[in-house]
Amino acid sequence: MAKAFQILLFFASVSCITSTVVGQQLHKHFELAESKDIDRIELKVSTKAGKSFLTAVDDAIPVRIFGASENDVAASSFKIEKTHNSQKVDAELTCKSHMGLNFTESVASSFFSSPDQPHDIWQINLSQHQTFDLNLNYLMGEANVDLSKLAVQRLKIKSASADVKLSYNDASMNSVAMDTFFVKVNFGSIEVKDLNYALAKEIIAEVGFGAISIDCGQDWKMNSRVTASVGAGNLNILLPPKEIPVIIRINNSPLCNIKMAENFQKIGHNIFGNQAYVDNPDESMEFLLDVGMGRIIFQNQ
């Protein structure tokens, strides 16, 4: 039987709300209707500029997106595709002044431009009662992603020249096991706080010319694998507590710079482990690193 697809392309209507971000009144740009037969929502969000916020809310509506200017609603586009028990949402958020902005212009803007216009603000509210696959893409500007109280099965974050901060501000762990945690940066930066709360089995980080900082957090419960590649940028890793077994395998070049944490010892060619790993190698967290001209720094808690 052929799969049934329902595809809608539309521009959301505008309505005012009372909540504010950084002192500005926001206007509703998009709302995904509640559907009781949906088990998972695959949400892709792309922003070109400004400040973006993503948080969990205690709400039956799965997704609500707000912007600071009601005049920009026609500049953004939203697609919905439903198949069986899952739903795909593709939200491209942009204000009128940044509709034609591309990657090259965003890189130049990160070095030479004036601050973003104050109305480039996006607030994304996700229901804590829904399971998500998140694909977040930020061209330039700033993004604050708080995953506390959310159920995220897969996470992908890409930054062109944006500065992205990912956190679990309520110290609330992911309510489902995460299959893959993926972050990629070209010229911008991504800062991850308390990665342990993600409950991610596979963690992937890719750095071009920018920087990624990962704080593994305190209470690590997964035997996770972290795979990272660094071109000419920087990767900073704050390791789990010393009682967590950790092994680090590095494929490096003569042009790179690697600083190892003090309590790690060399146990093979470009292989390092802490004392907890030497004592118990079967239950370990593994780092697989490939670095070209960049820099990797490991630090202890």
Side-chain angles (χ1 to χ4, degrees), residues 44-163:
K44 180 179 180 181
V45 176
S46 303
T47 67
K48 290 191 173 182
K51 296 182 179 180
S52 178
F53 302 85
L54 186 148
T55 54
V57 292
D58 186 4
D59 194 340
I61 300 299
V63 181
R64 281 194 174 105
I65 299 176
F66 306 93
S69 175
E70 60 183 325
N71 295 325
D72 285 332
V73 66
S76 298
S77 66
F78 305 89
K79 296 179 183 178
I80 299 176
E81 180 180 332
K82 182 179 179 182
T83 172
H84 299 301
N85 60 345
S86 65
Q87 201 163 24
K88 294 182 180 180
V89 179
D90 188 346
E92 296 186 4
L93 308 178
T94 184
C95 67
K96 291 181 179 179
S97 60
H98 291 135
M99 287 184 67
L101 191 66
N102 58 36
F103 173 72
T104 302
E105 292 171 336
S106 74
V107 173
S109 297
S110 66
F111 292 104
F112 305 114
S113 70
S114 59
D116 292 321
Q117 298 181 23
H119 69 267
D120 292 20
I121 297 176
W122 307 102
Q123 173 68 51
I124 302 161
N125 291 346
L126 304 183
S127 172
Q128 64 189 52
H129 308 294
Q130 181 66 58
T131 300
F132 291 93
D133 288 353
L134 296 181
N135 185 349
L136 309 176
N137 302 271
Y138 303 104
L139 187 63
M140 59 182 291
E142 302 175 15
N144 289 274
V145 179
D146 182 1
L147 298 183
S148 293
K149 299 180 180 179
L150 285 176
V152 182
Q153 288 186 330
R154 294 182 182 89
L155 176 68
K156 180 183 290 186
I157 297 180
K158 294 182 180 180
S159 166
S161 62
D163 295 323

Side-chain angles (χ1 to χ4, degrees), residues 205-253:
E206 296 182 4
V207 184
F209 292 89
I212 292 180
S213 297
I214 297 177
D215 176 0
C216 291
Q218 293 289 332
D219 187 18
W220 200 269
K221 297 183 180 298
M222 301 285 290
N223 296 328
S224 304
R225 179 171 61 187
V226 181
T227 304
S229 63
V230 181
N234 297 298
L235 175 62
N236 300 293
I237 299 175
L238 187 61
L239 293 161
K242 62 181 181 180
E243 61 268 18
I244 304 298
V246 175
I247 182 172
I248 300 172
R249 306 177 192 271
I250 303 174
N251 179 23
N252 61 350
S253 77

